[in-house]
Amino acid sequence: MTDNILVRNNVNVIGTGTQTIVFAHGFGCDQTMWRHVVPNFISDYQVVLFDYVGSGQSQINDYDPVKYSNLQGYAQDVLEILDALALKNVIFVGHSVSSMIGLLASLRGGSEYFERIVMIGPSPRYMNDLPDYYGGFEKSDIDELLTMMQLNFIGWASYLAPIVMQNPERQELTEELEQSFCSRDPRIARQFAEVTFLSDCRSSLSEATVPTLILQCSQDSIAPVEVGQYLHAHLKNSTLQQMAAKGHYPQLSHPDETTRLIKAYLASK
């Protein structure tokens, strides 16, 4: 069973430290998105990388549309990976939707699994719920996005990639992200997008106890500043750090700043 889980999620373990740090990718991506950041941690940490089922080099045949019809299915997989590697008290670094997957995993499995959580560009709710909550998207925006994915998947990828990368002077980053989007199975990608953009984790925030760093990117079209502020206000033991990095993928566009802020937080015990 252990081997099945590690193969299912294409788990890779590198590094030499006694403390474990797990890097979890966001929607439309895979573990290669961490390649500029990970080398800065392998001398001090054991690093765990993986792909969610349906992403990267995971076992696509293990994709279950019922299990993955909400974020809890992905949170279950995170806990199964930690159990398969006999890990507790890890540092969990989640990008975008993985931030909430990590939070849900900490509630589901118990806080002993997680010593700290680092959230990069997180959002507990992408859709506006005005006047009390601003998530950045109207329901019509999300419906349009999902419809475009269904009708013209390649067109959707080329449309969305430059908007979320937000580094127009570095075209190679946009092209990489577009290629990452396009490499997904369209049916699975659309369901993951629907699960992500229609999720609402706000009610879970008050239950979370694991110390958390919120890395808020500037000019982030997916998770605006108001979202980071909301998270910080509703998450106990949270630290909010505004980044100079623009866009939603600082691990690609600004890996040095991303590394520096994570290390500074981890050193502040």
Side-chain angles (χ1 to χ4, degrees):
M1 181 62 178
T2 294
D3 289 342
N4 290 345
I5 291 168
L6 300 182
V7 171
R8 179 192 70 190
N9 289 97
N10 186 31
V11 177
N12 289 289
V13 182
I14 55 177
T16 57
T18 54
Q19 171 78 63
T20 300
I21 186 166
V22 179
F23 288 94
H25 66 83
F27 164 77
C29 301
D30 58 36
Q31 62 186 265
T32 63
M33 290 285 170
W34 298 108
R35 68 186 184 278
H36 300 308
V37 171
V38 164
N40 300 304
F41 290 91
I42 55 176
S43 61
D44 299 313
Y45 296 90
Q46 174 179 262
V47 174
V48 175
L49 297 161
F50 70 95
D51 297 328
Y52 288 114
V53 175
S55 300
Q57 300 301 310
S58 66
Q59 297 299 298
I60 197 168
N61 290 337
D62 286 319
Y63 188 81
D64 178 350
V66 176
K67 176 182 179 180
Y68 299 114
S69 63
N70 60 65
L71 296 181
Q72 291 288 357
Y74 294 98
Q76 178 184 329
D77 283 2
V78 168
L79 292 174
E80 288 178 0
I81 291 167
L82 297 183
D83 281 338
L85 296 172
L87 294 174
K88 294 286 176 70
N89 300 315
V90 305
I91 297 156
F92 183 88
V93 180
H95 173 239
S96 197
V97 67
S98 273
S99 301
M100 291 303 113
I101 292 172
L103 181 142
L104 293 174
S106 74
L107 296 178
R108 185 178 180 130
S111 58
E112 69 269 14
Y113 280 94
F114 300 91
E115 182 177 295
R116 295 196 187 192
I117 295 176
V118 176
M119 300 180 172
I120 302 176
S123 178
R125 175 69 163 166
Y126 295 90
M127 199 158 57
N128 297 333
D129 187 9
L130 300 173
D132 299 321
Y133 178 78
Y134 178 76
F137 293 87
E138 294 294 339
K139 178 69 161 57
S140 58
D141 299 328
I142 295 171
D143 289 343
E144 188 176 334
L145 189 75
L146 295 174
T147 299
M148 185 185 293
M149 290 184 78
Q150 194 161 349
L151 296 178
N152 183 359
F153 189 71
I154 302 300
W156 159 81
S158 63
Y159 165 77
L160 188 65
I163 293 175
V164 295
M165 182 56 72
Q166 284 178 264
N167 280 263
E169 71 286 354
R170 299 178 64 188
Q171 185 62 27
E172 75 280 3
L173 295 180
T174 299
E175 291 173 357
E176 177 182 344
L177 188 61
E178 183 178 340
Q179 289 170 5
S180 180
F181 287 165
C182 289
S183 69
R184 303 285 89 89
D185 178 291
R187 177 181 55 89
I188 293 175
R190 191 194 179 283
Q191 184 175 14
F192 196 9
E194 186 171 354
V195 168
T196 297
F197 285 107
L198 296 181
S199 63
D200 188 352
C201 297
R202 290 175 295 172
S203 63
S204 298
L205 300 180
S206 62
E207 304 170 43
T209 58
V210 179
T212 300
L213 171 65
I214 303 162
L215 289 180
Q216 173 69 55
C217 306
S218 61
Q219 299 181 33
D220 186 342
S221 60
I222 299 294
V225 171
E226 292 89 341
V227 172
Q229 293 169 342
Y230 179 93
L231 262 179
H232 180 43
H234 290 80
L235 261 184
K236 293 187 288 284
N237 300 323
S238 67
T239 302
L240 176 61
Q241 177 68 59
Q242 183 76 41
M243 299 185 71
K246 293 180 181 179
H248 192 59
Y249 295 84
Q251 71 272 43
L252 279 181
S253 62
H254 297 76
D256 291 343
E257 183 188 19
T258 303
T259 298
R260 176 173 55 79
L261 293 176
I262 294 174
K263 285 193 170 186
Y265 175 71
L266 297 179
S268 65
K269 293 185 178 180

